[in-house]
Amino acid sequence: MSDSGRDIVFDIFEKVLSRYSIFKNRDALRPDYIPDNLPHRSEQIQRLAFILAPSLKGSLPSNVFLYGKPGTGKTAVTQFVLSRLKMKAKEAGSILAISYINCRIAGTEYRVLASLCSSIDVDVPFTGLSKAEVFQRFRSGLERFGGILIVVLDEIDALVKIHGDDILYELTRIKESSSGRGGVSMIGISNDLQFKEFLDPRVLSSLSEEEILFRPYTADELYDILRERAEIAFNENVLSESALRLCAALAAAEHGDARRALDLLRVAGEIAERSSSQSVTDEHVRRAQEKIESDRVWEAIKTLPLHSRMILLAVYVNSKRNESKCFTGEVYEVYKELCEGLGLEPLTQRRISGLINELDAMGLLNSKLVSMGRYGRSKRVRLNIPASMILQLLKSDPYLSSLEGYVEKYWSKG
DNA sequence: TCTCCACCGGAACCCAAGGCGG
DNA sequence: CCGCCTTGGGTTCCGGTGGAGA
Ligand SMILES: Nc1ncnc2c1ncn2[C@@H]1O[C@H](COP(=O)(O)OP(=O)(O)O)[C@@H](O)[C@H]1O
């Protein structure tokens, strides 16, 4: 047998193998994949490129503020433009550094400053210094660097809502006071359209010298995005037209979120693959929708601290005890009972109120402030997750499992 | 129209952990 | 080693409030 003969045999095997596999390149559906083409965002891309272009000639670009709902392509567009800017800068020999920071993930002002430093090769310890000290090192590092630093602050709304806009203020001041060449240019990205109201007017005017709005995608736009990705990700004739349309429609209903659309497509593909189906159907997409939601919920519950879990249980028990009224006061009472059952010191009501708000923000609870006139004002709390999740929580947490009997008394109804 | 309930939520503060620079 | 920093998780204190009922 010659080598060429073996290749033919392999070819046949490959063909057969690939015919029955759904994915050609699954990674193309992952959130960190940035395609070479971003449909329906050429306007934003051009504007951003136009704004940043002066940096190639050594002058400082205006600050930009990008805002729009999640999954509208803000991060993708930014990365798209910046990667090309970087290439051009290298070619042109401009001194240019880019620092991308996701503020929500960084979480604290200190860590944002620290990663700012590391982008210009200033190393700072990950803790121990005062913010002023880190900032000082950043400043002097910048002098030494002498070029233009483009700072991307992604999900900046999350940081400012918790820690205020102090660093932003300091950063905008750097820009002004930068002597000689170079300086800092900022790209702020916000998922919250009202975010501007949180900012000090001085910061706002400096940060949004330019603004770019990202509208939610329509179903048709999502369809185009999905189709391009699907061509890379899926094998031929595996994905039905209607399944694709359904993904687009479902995601369009959910704030026109492209990330959601791509997730739907990927998970639907995985479900199809696992059930050794030869194509992805509407049914797979619907199941993907459910799976994504229940995964999200379970993922959130799993990482919940003890007392937040107890609150979920308390809300559940209380809602079974008396259908109609489920206000924070009663929830707190039940919570205290549960604590006693576990021999735990209960937290204060003030704290519980805060935790309930967090659970609300995660979508595990619904809470709404209602006034009952003479009978005070309180929050009506409702569980926003299926009871099966409560059961699963009890089973999975060895610490809580001793409460199982207690909770089960209320299991029957509902 | 005024009262007053039953909480809400802002602000200041406390405390322990981890880690710096001097 | 000391005195200082940030951070995260909590507590204490307290002014604020929509509307049913007197
Ligand atoms: N116009 C587009 N074309 C192709 N993919 C897109 C487009 N817009 C967004 N995406 C994809 O959707 C996902 C979410 O986009 P992202 O830029 O992270 O949203 P945002 O930052 O606005 O929350 C990413 O995986 C991105 O690649």
Side-chain angles (χ1 to χ4, degrees):
Chain A
M1 272 291 138
S2 69
D3 282 346
S4 60
R6 260 179 52 185
D7 286 346
I8 291 168
V9 173
F10 272 133
D11 281 349
I12 294 170
F13 288 168
E14 295 288 342
K15 231 174 226 158
V16 170
L17 274 173
S18 71
R19 184 180 305 158
Y20 291 107
S21 76
I22 299 277
F23 290 110
K24 185 160 62 185
N25 176 9
R26 186 190 314 238
D27 291 342
L29 296 176
R30 295 188 48 78
D32 47 356
Y33 178 91
I34 299 184
D36 292 329
N37 183 26
L38 298 172
H40 303 292
R41 282 299 179 242
S42 53
E43 187 195 325
Q44 283 83 354
I45 289 172
Q46 279 172 36
R47 279 199 58 200
L48 187 58
F50 197 75
I51 292 165
L52 297 180
S55 63
L56 291 171
K57 295 206 160 180
S59 45
L60 199 59
S62 300
N63 292 332
V64 203
F65 182 50
L66 311 184
Y67 60 110
K69 290 266 173 67
T72 48
K74 301 180 296 296
T75 308
V77 164
T78 306
Q79 302 281 24
F80 184 91
V81 173
L82 285 180
S83 65
R84 282 155 179 76
L85 182 70
K86 210 172 189 170
M87 281 164 49
K88 274 292 167 198
K90 198 174 253 174
E91 269 176 47
S94 330
I95 314 173
L96 181 72
I98 292 169
S99 171
Y100 173 87
I101 301 169
N102 184 313
C103 300
R104 183 179 50 80
I105 292 176
T108 73
E109 295 179 283
Y110 187 95
R111 288 203 282 271
V112 168
L113 283 174
S115 75
L116 225 43
C117 285
S118 70
S119 67
I120 49 172
D121 292 323
V122 174
D123 47 337
V124 291
F126 70 95
T127 174
L129 266 46
S130 75
K131 281 182 285 189
E133 171 71 22
V134 179
F135 203 79
Q136 198 45 52
R137 293 194 192 184
F138 174 63
R139 239 181 233 269
S140 50
L142 211 55
E143 291 287 317
R144 209 175 317 129
F145 169 66
I148 290 174
L149 177 64
I150 296 182
V151 177
V152 183
L153 299 170
D154 203 347
E155 303 197 47
I156 195 175
D157 46 326
L159 186 75
V160 169
K161 276 177 199 162
I162 295 171
H163 296 100
D165 57 6
D166 292 357
I167 7 163
L168 282 183
Y169 181 67
E170 295 299 334
L171 283 175
T172 54
R173 286 191 48 82
I174 281 199
K175 173 174 177 153
E176 286 160 19
S177 71
S178 69
S179 57
R181 307 213 58 73
V184 177
S185 165
M186 286 195 279
I187 302 177
I189 302 181
S190 166
N191 284 330
D192 180 353
L193 306 180
Q194 323 299 333
F195 173 62
K196 287 198 248 173
E197 292 162 20
F198 290 80
L199 289 177
D200 182 303
R202 286 174 301 183
V203 175
L204 179 61
S205 69
S206 170
L207 180 62
S208 59
E209 289 167 337
E210 303 276 354
E211 286 183 16
I212 304 181
L213 174 65
F214 288 67
R215 318 189 162 285
Y217 292 114
T218 64
D220 286 338
E221 289 168 344
L222 285 171
Y223 174 81
D224 291 337
I225 293 169
L226 288 179
R227 198 161 43 86
E228 285 206 4
R229 291 291 185 97
E231 259 164 46
I232 309 170
F234 289 96
N235 280 314
E236 262 168 69
N237 300 324
V238 149
L239 183 62
S240 78
E241 170 76 9
S242 72
L244 204 58
R245 290 250 172 237
L246 184 56
C247 284
L250 289 174
E254 198 138 337
H255 334 108
D257 184 340
R259 174 173 299 127
R260 186 55 182 265
L262 290 165
D263 280 347
L264 274 173
L265 201 54
R266 178 173 46 79
V267 173
E270 284 166 2
I271 288 174
E273 194 172 58
R274 211 155 304 153
S275 57
S276 55
S277 168
Q278 290 173 32
S279 63
V280 182
T281 64
D282 290 16
E283 179 55 24
H284 293 136
V285 175
R286 292 220 173 73
R287 281 179 30 208
Q289 169 103 326
E290 284 162 25
K291 182 173 190 308
I292 288 172
E293 175 58 15
S294 77
D295 281 0
R296 203 208 93 229
V297 168
W298 182 239
E299 198 59 36
I301 291 180
K302 253 195 337 195
T303 57
L304 239 38
L306 177 62
H307 287 275
S308 298
R309 296 174 173 205
M310 306 260 293
I311 293 171
L312 285 183
L313 293 185
V315 172
Y316 176 77
V317 168
N318 190 60
S319 68
K320 292 302 164 194
R321 267 189 199 167
N322 44 14
E323 291 290 300
S324 51
K325 53 188 198 120
C326 186
F327 296 99
T328 48
E330 293 130 49
V331 171
Y332 186 60
E333 289 308 312
V334 179
Y335 160 79
K336 280 200 290 193
E337 281 176 41
L338 294 180
C339 282
E340 198 173 346
L342 291 177
L344 229 58
E345 248 340 86
L347 304 178
T348 52
Q349 185 156 5
R350 177 72 187 85
R351 181 65 188 136
I352 295 306
S353 161
L355 291 178
I356 286 179
N357 285 342
E358 282 175 27
L359 291 170
D360 184 28
M362 281 187 273
L364 301 180
L365 290 181
N366 271 333
S367 70
K368 193 175 169 210
L369 191 57
V370 289
S371 176
M372 299 158 296
R374 195 70 244 294
Y375 304 101
R377 246 152 56 98
S378 179
K379 266 186 167 176
R380 193 177 55 235
V381 187
R382 276 207 340 261
L383 215 51
N384 203 22
I385 55 176
S388 59
M389 285 288 178
I390 297 290
L391 184 63
Q392 202 173 337
L393 172 60
L394 281 171
K395 290 250 186 287
S396 74
D397 186 336
Y399 199 75
L400 292 180
S401 60
S402 56
L403 289 175
E404 212 169 326
Y406 190 91
V407 175
E408 249 162 22
K409 274 192 287 185
Y410 306 97
W411 200 250
S412 49
K413 184 91 174 83

